[in-house]
Amino acid sequence: MEISMWPKRRRAATAFRVRLGVGALLGVVLGVGPAAAPRAQASETSAAVSAPGEATLEAVYDFHIGGLSIGEAVLRVQTTSESYAGEARMQPRGMLEMFLNGRAEAQAQGARDGFGAFDPHYYEIRFEGKAEAQTLVMTLEGASPVTLTVEPPEKEPNPHAAPWRDQIGVLDPISAIVASFLPLGAENVCARTIPIFDGSRRYDVMFTAPDPKSSAPAPRWSKPLRHCMGVYERIAGFPPETLRDERYYVFDVWFEEGEGALWRPVRLAGRTRLGYAVGSLRE
């Protein structure tokens, strides 16, 4: 797991709030108005599809490294044929809670075109700790940021941050999570790339055919699963040595074959120095 973004005491906490939303679902272990906690309760894991293109999902993911609990993410996704909205709440647990004393809440909304592609409009993420809070808001048009604010401003901005005005054809992290649940057809589940910008860093998450020789153990699940290999590629906004030595992070992901267009990840697993980092859908 990468926990390196903004400076000094706030670096780990701020990195966690921005990264865990996407990283928790997409390979580390992935509304409008003020950020609010998702309506899903910690004990709920449900999905419903009412019509083609329309879906509601509530899910909880538990994350572990080397068998030790490090956090949970509660997600809520709502889509129609013309729009989507996503919410996430991230909470560190166990050993990680000792270092990251706080929680993050994020949400996004946007439109979908006639082919189902995503056009993000609004993204907000808020980190709340015992001593401080910070909110990042990004608005987008045509899959490119048009405004970006951070309150309160960073005292020591990330010196490697990718200029937000230069980003073209990207999704915010929450929109990327929604997009990972809704591939454009079953044939594309393991054949797609999601370009992401979180306000500071630009990266891609790619899904492709798995490599049986290096795959993590498959989960036991009551429904058929589609196994993909995921590749997290750092593009910009990272220290030069990270781009040089750690540009790619490979992981496994298993998607549940859901009703309609909805494919929800059941497990993500990637190797770390401390053992497998695993994110599992709570049954």
Side-chain angles (χ1 to χ4, degrees):
M1 178 187 296
E2 179 182 293
I3 304 179
S4 59
M5 184 178 174
W6 295 346
K8 297 183 179 178
R9 288 179 58 251
R10 294 201 291 179
R11 177 176 298 161
T14 309
F16 177 77
R17 72 171 175 88
V18 175
R19 274 299 305 277
L20 190 54
V22 148
L25 280 181
L26 302 179
V28 230
V29 184
L30 246 241
V32 284
R39 288 181 287 275
Q41 300 300 313
S43 62
E44 291 182 320
T45 300
S46 61
V49 178
S50 57
E54 296 185 5
T56 298
L57 170 90
E58 295 181 351
V60 182
Y61 288 85
D62 295 303
F63 299 96
H64 299 79
I65 290 184
L68 300 176
S69 174
I70 63 168
E72 71 174 27
V74 183
L75 304 178
R76 180 177 175 85
V77 172
Q78 293 179 301
T79 70
T80 71
S81 59
E82 298 179 348
S83 65
Y84 71 91
E87 301 175 348
R89 181 177 71 242
M90 292 76 73
Q91 177 70 52
R93 300 292 187 196
M95 65 176 185
L96 198 59
E97 194 168 14
M98 295 187 295
F99 302 100
L100 304 178
N101 192 1
R103 70 174 188 175
E105 297 176 352
Q107 57 183 302
Q109 72 166 14
R112 301 178 70 192
D113 64 19
F115 298 98
F118 290 80
D119 180 13
H121 293 168
Y122 181 89
Y123 170 67
E124 178 177 312
I125 185 164
R126 176 177 175 82
F127 173 79
E128 293 184 355
K130 285 189 175 180
E132 60 190 358
Q134 189 176 56
T135 301
L136 179 149
V137 175
M138 180 167 60
T139 61
L140 306 95
E141 292 181 4
S144 297
V146 293
T147 67
L148 178 68
T149 59
V150 180
E151 294 293 341
E154 286 294 324
K155 295 180 181 179
E156 300 180 44
N158 174 11
H160 308 290
W164 63 267
R165 291 181 176 86
D166 296 344
Q167 307 307 312
I168 300 173
V170 295
L171 299 181
D172 62 82
I174 297 298
S175 296
I177 290 175
V178 179
S180 74
F181 283 44
L182 292 166
L184 299 179
E187 69 279 5
N188 296 318
V189 173
C190 295
R192 50 190 171 135
T193 297
I194 302 176
I196 305 164
F197 180 66
D198 66 11
S200 176
R201 297 168 305 172
R202 170 72 178 84
Y203 48 94
D204 282 349
V205 172
M206 297 167 279
F207 296 113
T208 186
D211 181 357
K213 296 181 180 179
S214 60
S215 295
R220 295 180 180 179
W221 202 250
S222 59
K223 294 183 179 180
L225 298 177
R226 180 76 63 86
H227 179 202
C228 305
M229 182 174 73
V231 181
Y232 170 81
E233 180 183 5
R234 299 167 177 89
I235 305 295
F238 302 87
E241 60 272 18
T242 300
L243 290 175
R244 182 186 66 243
D245 301 330
E246 302 178 25
R247 187 176 186 91
Y248 301 98
Y249 179 78
V250 178
F251 59 98
D252 291 285
V253 57
W254 287 265
F255 290 94
E256 177 186 85
E257 296 185 15
E259 300 178 33
L262 187 64
W263 293 68
R264 57 180 183 175
V266 166
R267 177 175 293 178
L268 303 100
R271 288 184 174 87
T272 74
R273 294 185 181 93
L274 300 178
Y276 271 109
V278 179
S280 299
L281 177 64
R282 188 180 300 175
E283 297 187 67

